[in-house]
Coordinates of all heavy atoms in Angstrom, one line a residue:
M1 N 98.0 78.3 87.8 CA 96.9 78.5 88.7 C 96.3 79.9 88.5 O 96.9 80.7 87.8 CB 97.4 78.4 90.2 CG 98.2 79.6 90.7 SD 98.8 79.3 92.4 CE 97.7 80.3 93.4
N2 N 95.1 80.1 89.0 CA 94.4 81.3 88.7 C 94.5 82.2 90.0 O 94.6 81.8 91.1 CB 92.9 81.1 88.4 CG 92.8 80.4 87.0 OD1 93.6 80.6 86.1 ND2 91.8 79.6 86.9
C3 N 94.5 83.5 89.7 CA 94.6 84.5 90.8 C 93.3 84.4 91.7 O 92.2 84.4 91.2 CB 94.6 85.9 90.1 SG 94.5 87.2 91.4
P4 N 93.6 84.3 93.0 CA 92.5 84.1 94.0 C 91.7 85.4 94.1 O 90.6 85.4 94.6 CB 93.2 83.8 95.3 CG 94.6 84.2 95.1 CD 94.9 84.2 93.7
K5 N 92.2 86.5 93.6 CA 91.5 87.8 93.7 C 90.6 88.1 92.5 O 89.5 88.3 92.6 CB 92.6 88.9 93.8 CG 92.0 90.2 94.5 CD 93.2 91.1 94.9 CE 92.7 92.5 95.1 NZ 93.8 93.4 95.2
C6 N 91.2 88.0 91.3 CA 90.5 88.3 90.0 C 90.1 87.1 89.2 O 89.4 87.2 88.2 CB 91.2 89.4 89.2 SG 92.7 88.8 88.4
G7 N 90.8 85.9 89.5 CA 90.5 84.7 88.8 C 91.2 84.5 87.4 O 91.0 83.5 86.8
K8 N 92.0 85.5 87.1 CA 92.8 85.4 85.8 C 94.0 84.4 86.0 O 94.4 84.2 87.1 CB 93.2 86.7 85.3 CG 92.1 87.6 84.8 CD 92.7 88.8 84.1 CE 91.5 89.7 83.7 NZ 91.9 91.1 83.4
E9 N 94.5 83.9 84.8 CA 95.6 83.1 84.8 C 96.9 83.8 85.4 O 97.1 84.9 85.0 CB 95.9 82.6 83.4 CG 97.0 81.6 83.2 CD 96.6 80.2 83.7 OE1 95.3 79.9 83.7 OE2 97.5 79.4 83.9
M10 N 97.6 83.1 86.3 CA 98.8 83.7 86.8 C 100.0 83.2 86.1 O 100.0 82.1 85.5 CB 98.9 83.4 88.3 CG 97.8 84.0 89.2 SD 98.0 83.6 90.9 CE 98.9 84.9 91.6
E11 N 101.1 84.0 86.1 CA 102.3 83.6 85.4 C 103.3 83.1 86.4 O 103.5 83.6 87.5 CB 102.9 84.8 84.7 CG 102.0 85.3 83.6 CD 102.6 86.7 83.0 OE1 103.7 86.7 82.6 OE2 101.8 87.6 83.0
S12 N 104.0 82.0 86.0 CA 105.0 81.4 86.9 C 106.4 81.9 86.7 O 106.8 82.2 85.6 CB 105.0 79.9 86.7 OG 105.9 79.2 87.5
G13 N 107.1 82.1 87.8 CA 108.5 82.6 87.8 C 109.2 82.4 89.1 O 108.8 81.6 89.9
D14 N 110.4 83.0 89.3 CA 111.1 82.9 90.5 C 111.1 84.2 91.3 O 111.2 85.2 90.6 CB 112.6 82.5 90.3 CG 112.8 81.2 89.6 OD1 111.8 80.4 89.7 OD2 113.9 80.9 89.1
L15 N 111.0 84.2 92.6 CA 111.0 85.4 93.4 C 112.4 85.5 94.0 O 112.9 84.6 94.6 CB 110.0 85.3 94.5 CG 109.9 86.5 95.4 CD1 109.2 87.7 94.6 CD2 109.1 86.2 96.6
H16 N 113.0 86.7 93.8 CA 114.4 86.9 94.4 C 114.2 88.1 95.4 O 113.5 89.0 95.2 CB 115.3 87.4 93.3 CG 115.6 86.3 92.3 ND1 116.6 85.5 92.3 CD2 114.9 86.0 91.1 CE1 116.6 84.7 91.3 NE2 115.6 85.0 90.5
T17 N 115.0 88.0 96.5 CA 115.1 89.1 97.4 C 116.6 89.2 97.9 O 117.3 88.2 97.8 CB 114.2 88.9 98.7 OG1 114.7 87.7 99.4 CG2 112.8 88.8 98.3
Q18 N 117.0 90.3 98.4 CA 118.3 90.4 98.9 C 118.4 90.1 100.4 O 119.4 89.8 101.0 CB 118.9 91.8 98.7 CG 119.1 92.0 97.2 CD 120.0 93.2 96.9 OE1 120.4 93.8 97.8 NE2 120.2 93.5 95.7
K19 N 117.2 90.3 101.1 CA 117.1 89.9 102.5 C 115.9 89.1 102.6 O 115.0 89.1 101.7 CB 116.9 91.2 103.3 CG 118.2 91.8 103.8 CD 117.8 93.1 104.6 CE 118.7 93.3 105.7 NZ 118.3 94.3 106.6
Y20 N 115.7 88.4 103.7 CA 114.5 87.6 103.8 C 113.3 88.5 104.0 O 113.3 89.4 104.9 CB 114.6 86.6 105.0 CG 115.4 85.4 104.7 CD1 116.5 85.5 103.8 CD2 115.2 84.2 105.3 CE1 117.2 84.3 103.5 CE2 115.9 83.1 105.0 CZ 116.9 83.2 104.1 OH 117.6 82.0 103.8
P21 N 112.3 88.2 103.3 CA 111.0 89.0 103.6 C 110.5 88.4 104.9 O 110.9 87.3 105.3 CB 110.1 88.6 102.4 CG 110.7 87.4 101.7 CD 112.1 87.3 102.1
F22 N 109.7 89.1 105.6 CA 109.1 88.6 106.8 C 107.6 89.0 106.9 O 107.2 89.9 106.2 CB 109.9 89.0 108.1 CG 109.8 90.5 108.4 CD1 108.8 91.0 109.2 CD2 110.8 91.3 107.9 CE1 108.8 92.4 109.4 CE2 110.8 92.7 108.2 CZ 109.8 93.2 109.0
W23 N 106.9 88.3 107.7 CA 105.5 88.5 107.9 C 105.2 88.8 109.4 O 105.9 88.3 110.3 CB 104.8 87.1 107.6 CG 103.3 87.1 107.8 CD1 102.3 87.2 106.8 CD2 102.6 86.8 109.0 NE1 101.1 87.1 107.4 CE2 101.2 86.8 108.7 CE3 103.0 86.5 110.3 CZ2 100.3 86.6 109.7 CZ3 102.0 86.3 111.3 CH2 100.7 86.3 110.9
T24 N 104.3 89.7 109.6 CA 103.9 90.0 111.0 C 102.5 90.6 111.0 O 102.1 91.1 109.9 CB 104.9 91.1 111.6 OG1 104.4 91.4 113.0 CG2 105.0 92.4 110.9
Q25 N 101.9 90.6 112.1 CA 100.5 91.2 112.2 C 100.6 92.5 113.1 O 99.7 93.1 113.3 CB 99.5 90.2 112.8 CG 99.2 89.1 111.8 CD 98.1 88.2 112.4 OE1 98.2 87.9 113.6 NE2 97.2 87.7 111.6
Q26 N 101.9 92.7 113.6 CA 102.1 93.9 114.4 C 102.6 95.1 113.7 O 103.1 95.0 112.6 CB 103.1 93.5 115.5 CG 102.6 92.4 116.4 CD 103.7 91.9 117.4 OE1 104.8 92.4 117.4 NE2 103.3 90.9 118.1
E27 N 102.4 96.3 114.2 CA 102.9 97.5 113.7 C 104.4 97.5 113.9 O 104.8 97.2 115.0 CB 102.2 98.7 114.3 CG 101.4 99.6 113.4 CD 100.8 100.7 114.1 OE1 101.5 101.7 114.4 OE2 99.6 100.6 114.5
L28 N 105.1 98.0 112.9 CA 106.6 98.0 113.1 C 107.0 99.2 113.9 O 106.4 100.3 113.7 CB 107.3 98.0 111.7 CG 107.1 96.7 110.9 CD1 108.0 96.8 109.7 CD2 107.5 95.5 111.7
R29 N 107.9 99.1 114.8 CA 108.4 100.2 115.6 C 109.9 100.2 115.5 O 110.6 99.2 115.2 CB 108.1 100.0 117.1 CG 106.6 99.9 117.4 CD 106.3 99.7 118.8 NE 104.9 99.6 119.0 CZ 104.3 99.6 120.2 NH1 105.0 99.8 121.3 NH2 103.0 99.5 120.3
L30 N 110.5 101.4 115.7 CA 111.9 101.6 115.7 C 112.6 100.8 116.8 O 112.1 100.8 117.9 CB 112.3 103.1 115.9 CG 112.1 104.0 114.6 CD1 112.4 105.4 115.0 CD2 112.9 103.5 113.5
F31 N 113.7 100.2 116.5 CA 114.5 99.5 117.5 C 113.9 98.3 118.2 O 114.4 97.8 119.1 CB 115.0 100.5 118.6 CG 115.5 101.8 118.1 CD1 115.0 103.0 118.4 CD2 116.6 101.7 117.2 CE1 115.5 104.2 117.9 CE2 117.1 102.9 116.7 CZ 116.6 104.1 117.0
R32 N 112.7 97.9 117.7 CA 112.1 96.7 118.4 C 111.4 95.9 117.3 O 110.4 96.4 116.7 CB 111.1 97.2 119.5 CG 111.3 96.4 120.7 CD 110.2 96.7 121.7 NE 108.9 96.2 121.3 CZ 107.8 96.5 121.9 NH1 107.8 97.2 123.0 NH2 106.6 96.0 121.5
G33 N 111.8 94.7 117.1 CA 111.2 93.9 116.1 C 109.9 93.4 116.6 O 109.7 93.3 117.8
P34 N 109.0 93.0 115.7 CA 107.7 92.4 116.1 C 108.0 91.1 116.8 O 108.9 90.3 116.5 CB 107.0 92.2 114.8 CG 108.0 92.3 113.7 CD 109.1 93.1 114.3
T35 N 107.1 90.7 117.8 CA 107.3 89.5 118.6 C 106.7 88.3 117.8 O 107.0 87.2 118.2 CB 106.7 89.6 120.0 OG1 105.3 90.0 119.8 CG2 107.4 90.6 120.9
D36 N 105.9 88.6 116.8 CA 105.3 87.5 116.1 C 106.0 87.3 114.7 O 105.4 86.7 113.8 CB 103.8 87.7 115.9 CG 103.5 88.9 115.0 OD1 104.4 89.7 114.8 OD2 102.3 89.1 114.6
Q37 N 107.2 87.9 114.5 CA 107.8 87.9 113.2 C 108.1 86.5 112.7 O 108.6 85.6 113.4 CB 109.1 88.6 113.3 CG 109.9 88.6 111.9 CD 111.0 89.7 111.9 OE1 111.0 90.7 112.6 NE2 112.0 89.4 111.1
V38 N 107.7 86.2 111.4 CA 108.0 85.0 110.8 C 108.8 85.3 109.5 O 108.3 86.0 108.6 CB 106.7 84.2 110.4 CG1 107.0 82.9 109.6 CG2 105.8 84.0 111.6
D39 N 110.0 84.9 109.5 CA 110.8 85.0 108.3 C 110.4 84.1 107.2 O 110.1 82.9 107.5 CB 112.3 84.8 108.6 CG 112.9 86.0 109.3 OD1 112.3 87.1 109.4 OD2 114.1 85.9 109.8
L40 N 110.4 84.5 106.0 CA 110.0 83.6 104.9 C 111.3 83.2 104.1 O 111.9 84.1 103.5 CB 109.1 84.4 103.9 CG 107.8 85.0 104.6 CD1 107.0 85.7 103.6 CD2 107.0 83.9 105.4
G41 N 111.6 82.0 104.2 CA 112.8 81.5 103.6 C 112.5 80.5 102.5 O 111.4 80.0 102.4
P42 N 113.5 80.3 101.6 CA 113.3 79.3 100.5 C 113.1 77.9 101.1 O 113.5 77.6 102.2 CB 114.6 79.3 99.7 CG 115.3 80.5 100.1 CD 114.8 80.9 101.5
L43 N 112.3 77.0 100.4 CA 112.0 75.7 100.9 C 113.2 74.9 101.3 O 113.2 74.1 102.2 CB 111.1 74.9 99.9 CG 109.7 75.4 99.8 CD1 108.9 74.7 98.7 CD2 109.0 75.3 101.2
D44 N 114.3 75.1 100.5 CA 115.5 74.2 100.7 C 116.5 75.0 101.6 O 117.7 74.6 101.6 CB 116.2 73.9 99.4 CG 116.6 75.1 98.6 OD1 116.3 76.3 99.0 OD2 117.2 75.0 97.5
D45 N 116.1 76.0 102.3 CA 117.0 76.8 103.1 C 117.5 76.1 104.3 O 116.8 75.2 104.9 CB 116.2 78.0 103.6 CG 117.1 79.1 104.2 OD1 118.1 79.4 103.5 OD2 116.7 79.6 105.2
D46 N 118.8 76.4 104.7 CA 119.3 76.0 106.0 C 119.1 77.1 107.0 O 119.8 78.1 107.0 CB 120.8 75.7 105.8 CG 121.5 75.3 107.1 OD1 120.7 75.1 108.1 OD2 122.7 75.1 107.1
D47 N 118.1 76.9 107.8 CA 117.7 78.0 108.7 C 118.3 77.8 110.1 O 117.8 78.4 111.1 CB 116.2 78.2 108.8 CG 115.5 76.9 109.3 OD1 116.2 75.9 109.6 OD2 114.3 77.0 109.5
A48 N 119.3 76.9 110.2 CA 119.9 76.6 111.5 C 120.4 77.9 112.2 O 120.3 78.1 113.4 CB 121.0 75.6 111.4
S49 N 121.0 78.8 111.4 CA 121.6 80.0 111.9 C 121.4 81.1 110.8 O 121.3 80.8 109.7 CB 123.1 79.8 112.1 OG 123.8 81.0 112.0
M50 N 121.3 82.3 111.3 CA 121.2 83.5 110.4 C 122.4 83.5 109.4 O 122.3 83.9 108.3 CB 121.2 84.8 111.2 CG 120.0 85.1 111.8 SD 120.1 86.8 112.6 CE 120.4 87.8 111.2
F51 N 123.5 83.0 109.9 CA 124.8 83.1 109.1 C 124.9 82.0 108.1 O 125.7 82.2 107.2 CB 126.0 83.1 110.1 CG 125.9 84.1 111.1 CD1 125.5 83.8 112.4 CD2 126.1 85.5 110.8 CE1 125.4 84.8 113.4 CE2 126.0 86.5 111.8 CZ 125.7 86.1 113.1
T52 N 124.1 81.0 108.1 CA 124.2 79.9 107.1 C 123.1 80.2 106.0 O 123.1 79.4 105.1 CB 124.0 78.5 107.7 OG1 122.8 78.4 108.4 CG2 125.2 78.2 108.6
R53 N 122.3 81.2 106.2 CA 121.2 81.4 105.3 C 121.8 82.1 104.0 O 122.7 82.8 104.0 CB 120.2 82.4 105.9 CG 119.4 81.8 107.0 CD 118.3 82.7 107.3 NE 117.7 82.4 108.6 CZ 116.8 83.2 109.2 NH1 116.5 84.3 108.7 NH2 116.3 82.8 110.4
D54 N 121.1 81.7 102.9 CA 121.5 82.3 101.6 C 121.2 83.8 101.6 O 120.1 84.2 101.8 CB 120.7 81.6 100.5 CG 121.1 82.0 99.1 OD1 121.8 83.0 99.0 OD2 120.6 81.3 98.2
P55 N 122.2 84.6 101.4 CA 122.0 86.1 101.4 C 121.2 86.5 100.2 O 120.6 87.6 100.2 CB 123.4 86.7 101.3 CG 124.3 85.6 100.8 CD 123.6 84.3 101.1
F56 N 121.1 85.7 99.2 CA 120.3 86.1 98.0 C 119.3 85.0 97.7 O 119.5 84.3 96.7 CB 121.2 86.4 96.8 CG 122.2 87.5 97.0 CD1 123.5 87.2 97.3 CD2 121.8 88.8 97.1 CE1 124.4 88.2 97.5 CE2 122.7 89.8 97.3 CZ 124.0 89.5 97.6
P57 N 118.4 84.7 98.6 CA 117.5 83.6 98.4 C 116.6 83.7 97.2 O 116.2 84.8 96.8 CB 116.6 83.6 99.7 CG 116.6 85.1 100.1 CD 118.0 85.6 99.7
T58 N 116.3 82.6 96.6 CA 115.4 82.5 95.4 C 114.2 81.7 95.8 O 114.3 80.7 96.5 CB 116.1 81.8 94.2 OG1 117.3 82.5 93.9 CG2 115.2 81.8 93.0
F59 N 113.1 82.2 95.4 CA 111.8 81.5 95.7 C 111.2 81.0 94.4 O 110.5 81.7 93.7 CB 110.8 82.4 96.4 CG 111.3 82.8 97.8 CD1 112.1 83.9 97.9 CD2 110.9 82.2 98.9 CE1 112.6 84.4 99.1 CE2 111.4 82.6 100.2 CZ 112.2 83.7 100.3
P60 N 111.5 79.7 94.0 CA 111.0 79.2 92.8 C 109.5 79.0 92.9 O 109.0 78.8 94.0 CB 111.7 77.8 92.6 CG 112.8 77.8 93.6 CD 112.4 78.7 94.7
G61 N 108.8 78.9 91.8 CA 107.3 78.6 91.8 C 106.5 79.8 92.3 O 105.4 79.7 92.8
A62 N 107.1 81.1 92.1 CA 106.3 82.3 92.4 C 105.3 82.6 91.3 O 105.7 82.6 90.2 CB 107.3 83.4 92.6
M63 N 104.1 82.8 91.7 CA 103.0 83.0 90.8 C 102.6 84.5 90.8 O 102.5 85.1 91.9 CB 101.8 82.2 91.1 CG 102.0 80.7 91.1 SD 102.7 80.0 89.6 CE 101.3 80.2 88.5
L64 N 102.5 85.1 89.6 CA 102.3 86.6 89.5 C 101.0 86.8 88.7 O 100.8 86.2 87.7 CB 103.5 87.2 88.7 CG 103.3 88.6 88.2 CD1 103.3 89.6 89.4 CD2 104.3 89.0 87.2
C65 N 100.1 87.7 89.3 CA 99.0 88.2 88.5 C 99.3 89.6 88.1 O 99.5 90.5 89.0 CB 97.7 88.2 89.3 SG 96.3 88.9 88.4
R66 N 99.5 89.9 86.8 CA 99.8 91.2 86.4 C 98.7 92.3 86.6 O 99.0 93.4 86.7 CB 100.2 91.2 84.9 CG 101.5 90.6 84.6 CD 102.0 90.8 83.2 NE 103.1 89.9 82.9 CZ 104.3 90.2 83.0 NH1 104.7 91.4 83.4 NH2 105.3 89.4 82.7
D67 N 97.5 91.8 86.7 CA 96.4 92.7 86.9 C 96.3 93.2 88.3 O 96.1 94.4 88.5 CB 95.1 92.1 86.5 CG 94.9 92.0 84.9 OD1 95.3 92.9 84.3 OD2 94.4 90.9 84.5
C68 N 96.4 92.3 89.3 CA 96.3 92.7 90.7 C 97.7 93.0 91.3 O 97.7 93.7 92.3 CB 95.7 91.6 91.5 SG 94.1 91.1 90.9
G69 N 98.7 92.6 90.7 CA 100.1 92.7 91.3 C 100.2 91.7 92.5 O 101.1 91.8 93.3
L70 N 99.3 90.7 92.5 CA 99.3 89.7 93.5 C 100.4 88.6 93.2 O 100.5 88.2 92.1 CB 98.0 89.1 93.6 CG 97.7 88.1 94.8 CD1 97.6 88.9 96.1 CD2 96.5 87.3 94.6
V71 N 101.2 88.3 94.2 CA 102.2 87.3 94.0 C 102.1 86.2 95.1 O 101.9 86.6 96.3 CB 103.7 87.9 94.1 CG1 104.7 86.8 94.0 CG2 103.9 88.9 93.0
T72 N 102.1 85.0 94.8 CA 102.1 83.9 95.7 C 103.3 83.0 95.5 O 103.7 82.9 94.4 CB 100.8 83.0 95.6 OG1 100.9 82.3 94.4 CG2 99.5 83.8 95.6
F73 N 103.9 82.6 96.6 CA 105.1 81.7 96.5 C 105.2 80.8 97.7 O 104.9 81.1 98.8 CB 106.3 82.5 96.3 CG 106.6 83.5 97.5 CD1 107.5 83.1 98.5 CD2 106.0 84.7 97.6 CE1 107.8 83.9 99.5 CE2 106.3 85.5 98.6 CZ 107.2 85.2 99.6
P74 N 105.7 79.5 97.4 CA 105.8 78.6 98.5 C 107.1 79.0 99.3 O 108.1 79.3 98.7 CB 106.0 77.2 97.8 CG 106.4 77.5 96.4 CD 106.0 79.0 96.1
C75 N 107.1 78.9 100.6 CA 108.3 79.2 101.4 C 108.3 78.5 102.7 O 107.3 77.8 103.1 CB 108.3 80.7 101.6 SG 107.0 81.4 102.6
K76 N 109.4 78.5 103.4 CA 109.6 77.9 104.7 C 109.4 79.0 105.7 O 110.0 80.0 105.6 CB 111.0 77.4 104.7 CG 111.4 76.5 105.9 CD 112.8 76.1 105.7 CE 113.2 75.0 106.6 NZ 114.6 74.6 106.3
L77 N 108.5 78.7 106.7 CA 108.2 79.7 107.7 C 109.2 79.5 108.9 O 109.3 78.5 109.5 CB 106.8 79.5 108.3 CG 105.7 79.5 107.2 CD1 104.3 79.6 107.9 CD2 105.9 80.7 106.2
I78 N 110.0 80.5 109.1 CA 111.0 80.5 110.1 C 110.6 81.4 111.3 O 110.7 82.6 111.2 CB 112.4 81.0 109.6 CG1 112.8 80.2 108.3 CG2 113.5 80.9 110.7 CD1 113.9 80.8 107.6
E79 N 109.9 80.7 112.3 CA 109.4 81.5 113.4 C 110.4 81.8 114.4 O 111.2 81.0 114.8 CB 108.2 80.7 114.0 CG 107.1 80.4 113.0 CD 105.8 80.3 113.6 OE1 105.5 81.2 114.5 OE2 105.0 79.5 113.2
K80 N 110.4 83.1 114.8 CA 111.4 83.4 115.8 C 110.8 83.1 117.2 O 111.5 83.2 118.2 CB 111.7 84.9 115.7 CG 112.2 85.2 114.3 CD 113.2 86.3 114.2 CE 113.9 86.3 112.9 NZ 114.6 87.5 112.6
G81 N 109.6 82.8 117.2 CA 108.8 82.3 118.4 C 109.3 82.7 119.8 O 109.8 83.7 120.0
K82 N 109.3 81.7 120.6 CA 109.8 81.8 122.0 C 109.2 83.0 122.8 O 108.6 82.8 123.8 CB 111.3 81.9 122.0 CG 112.0 80.6 121.6 CD 113.5 80.8 121.7 CE 114.2 79.7 120.9 NZ 115.6 80.0 120.7
R83 N 109.4 84.2 122.2 CA 109.0 85.4 122.9 C 107.5 85.6 122.9 O 107.0 86.7 123.2 CB 109.7 86.6 122.4 CG 111.2 86.5 122.5 CD 111.8 87.7 121.9 NE 111.8 87.7 120.5 CZ 112.1 88.7 119.7 NH1 112.3 89.9 120.2 NH2 112.1 88.6 118.4
R84 N 106.8 84.7 122.4 CA 105.3 84.8 122.1 C 104.6 85.2 123.3 O 104.7 84.7 124.4 CB 104.8 83.5 121.6 CG 103.4 83.6 121.0 CD 103.2 82.5 120.1 NE 104.1 82.6 118.9 CZ 103.7 82.4 117.7 NH1 102.4 82.1 117.4 NH2 104.5 82.5 116.7
Q85 N 103.7 86.2 123.2 CA 102.9 86.7 124.3 C 101.5 86.0 124.2 O 101.2 85.5 123.1 CB 102.7 88.2 124.3 CG 104.0 88.9 124.6 CD 104.0 90.3 124.2 OE1 103.1 90.7 123.4 NE2 104.9 91.1 124.7
Q86 N 100.7 86.0 125.2 CA 99.4 85.5 125.3 C 99.4 84.0 125.5 O 100.2 83.3 124.8 CB 98.5 85.7 124.0 CG 98.1 87.2 124.0 CD 97.4 87.5 122.7 OE1 97.4 86.7 121.7 NE2 96.8 88.7 122.6
Ligands
ZN1 ZN1 94.5 89.0 89.8

């Protein structure tokens, strides 16, 4: 696929992390996690419990643009929800 930013060909690989990356639109504060936090897990992840999750998750199908440093990868959205405001 091509980079959505610069349009050049992206390179395919696997994305590794030691902890789950997460997504939020809120500013991070000490001692209080964001209320809209969405953990990004591998597609085949068992997200039933924090303790059954793979401690070294791999994200296959990660696309890299060397020019922009842009990376896209398919993942499972694990919403901590419930505490949602509004
Ligand atoms: Zn690019």
